[in-house]
Amino acid sequence: MIKFSKQNPVQYAGDMIVYCVRQNEKKAPICVDDIIQKTINRVFEAGDFVGREGQVLLYYPDVDSKKNVKRILVVGLGQDELVAETFRKAGGTIAGTAIKTKAQKIMVVVPEILDFDVVVMAEALTEGLRLGAYRFLDYKTIDDPDEQPGKLVEILLTASKYAAVKKGLQGGEVTAGAGCWARDMANSPANYWTPAHFAQHGRKLAKKYDFVCKVLAKNDMKRLGMGGILGVSQGSAAPPKMVILEYSAGNRKKTKIPTLLLVGKGLTFDAGGISLKPSAGMHEMKYDMCGGAAVLAVMQAVGELRPKNLNVTAIIPATENMPGPAALKPGDVIIHYGGKTVEIIDTDAEGRLILADGLAYGIKQYTPDYIVDIATLTGAVVVGLGHHRTGLLTNNDDLSQQLLAAGDKSGEPVWRLPLGPEYTKQLKSQVADLKNLGKRNGGAITAAAFLQEFVGDTPWAHLDIAGTAWDFTEKSYIPKGPSGVGVRLLLELIRSWK
Ligand code: BES
Ligand code: ZN
Ligand code: ZN
């Protein structure tokens, strides 16, 4: 729990007080406590600590100093230009150190005297603290008291710029809270987090935030002709769901507010189907629902923030991809929502099949002005971009600009890859309108080219998060496991919508 406090940090008597310093500022700066400042000066002189980014100085005040606080932590901010990410990382470092030392109650002195927007600073610090303190322990039994992991129970941000810090804190709580929830969903094992869970949580959100919620079940999908999601789910015992949430900024019929449609791949376990994946590493395919989790988490934040300039509709096609006796077979032909036929070459290229139904249905039913889909779609994007950037493929330069900017600002960078007829051509089938697989090379692009066939002229962007949904760039506020990527990116897109 992060709260604003007006308490004088000099008198703070909790488990840890935290100051931030810039690198090589010889005056050894940004500290309101003379006693601590003197120590920092000495350490600077000794040369042990210079305030490099991520560097920490942790010490325990001696009895003569008459300090009641148990620990003093000084965190380096580096010497590079200050950006939001500087404070996000500092927040992560603080949270990590507190948990390691088992400090439960801490106070962070916001370095508001630096030449940087205090709202953005407080927001990024909050995000880093919350995301950096994240642990997933739902399934762990820890009996030995010495082995109990540290847990932050109270974080106070203290500053004099009350309104700015409070505003940033509230924004950061919402985005980071959503990011943590996306991680929780992803961390949950596939025998717990099923398509029905997506539906259940969608309904819960709708109730809390007054969204319109619709859950399409198997018989609805049959009636509507959604051969993509139905086909993929055939080999599994878990019934598929398509979860739809609608947030309206105003009366949709009377106002001219644009509608953004978000579609997230909610593949709760991808065994590959009949084109079975190798067993090594297959357990990671419980994360194949990270796109859906990001979209659901974004809707939670949308419910909190209630943007005025944008309607947001969310669709999560959710299913497993298993090789059961009724499973889709290579060579089968499916008929998607809207009538397009697809020849299945590889049942492991299933994400595009469920997204195609979601996209086609979303366009027909909700006539969105813009679409962004997000999916752990291809291993090929990991080959191309590694674990550091999300792949962006789009038919619209404006959307591209907005997403690139949102990526930089949110610390979830994206990189644009091309589309074009030379790629789309690879999806020609002898027997159907399309096939679900292109040539081996350029797989992230042909996957997106497949989706493009279902969006028509609507401005659309596809985010391939296969490389970033887990094992994302190592940073203080990103733990091992699922990163919650896409949540901050999409929220930044929505909040700075042009
Ligand atoms: N869910 C996978 C993609 C994936 C791979 C995500 C690795 C994260 C890490 C997707 O459904 C898939 O299996 N894609 C295949 C497509 C291939 C059969 C054309 C792939 O990328 O190998
Ligand atoms: Zn697959
Ligand atoms: Zn998949």
Side-chain angles (χ1 to χ4, degrees), residues 265 267 270 272 275 277 284-285 288 321 346-352 376-382 436-438 443 464-467 470:
K265 174 178 172 182
L267 218 296
D270 182 10
S275 314
K277 285 184 182 296
E284 291 191 326
M285 283 299 130
D288 211 16
N321 183 25
D346 191 317
T347 65
D348 197 9
E350 85 298 335
R352 61 199 77 182
T376 45
L377 205 62
T378 65
V381 85
V382 195
N436 80 330
L437 197 66
D464 194 334
I465 55 168
W470 67 99

Side-chain angles (χ1 to χ4, degrees), residues 182-195:
R183 289 177 184 175
D184 275 343
M185 287 185 247
N187 266 316
S188 295
N191 60 345
Y192 173 77
W193 192 270
T194 58

Side-chain angles (χ1 to χ4, degrees), residues 52-126:
R52 221 178 296 117
E53 185 192 284
Q55 203 179 18
V56 291
L57 164 64
L58 171 69
Y59 71 99
Y60 300 77
D62 69 72
V63 268
D64 299 333
S65 73
K66 298 211 177 61
K67 287 221 154 290
N68 290 321
V69 70
K70 288 198 192 120
R71 304 170 185 82
I72 295 161
L73 178 70
V74 187
V75 175
L77 296 176
Q79 59 187 355
D80 294 346
E81 189 198 347
L82 292 172
V83 288
E85 188 69 358
T86 317
F87 297 99
R88 235 176 255 126
K89 285 183 187 160
T93 304
I94 296 164
T97 311
I99 286 180
K100 223 186 299 162
T101 58
K102 304 206 175 167
Q104 298 196 338
K105 294 188 172 187
I106 71 170
M107 175 181 267
V108 181
V109 184
V110 179
E112 57 188 345
I113 58 157
L114 292 171
D115 185 20
F116 191 79
D117 185 321
V118 178
V119 180
V120 180
M121 181 191 291
E123 183 162 325
L125 252 178
T126 304

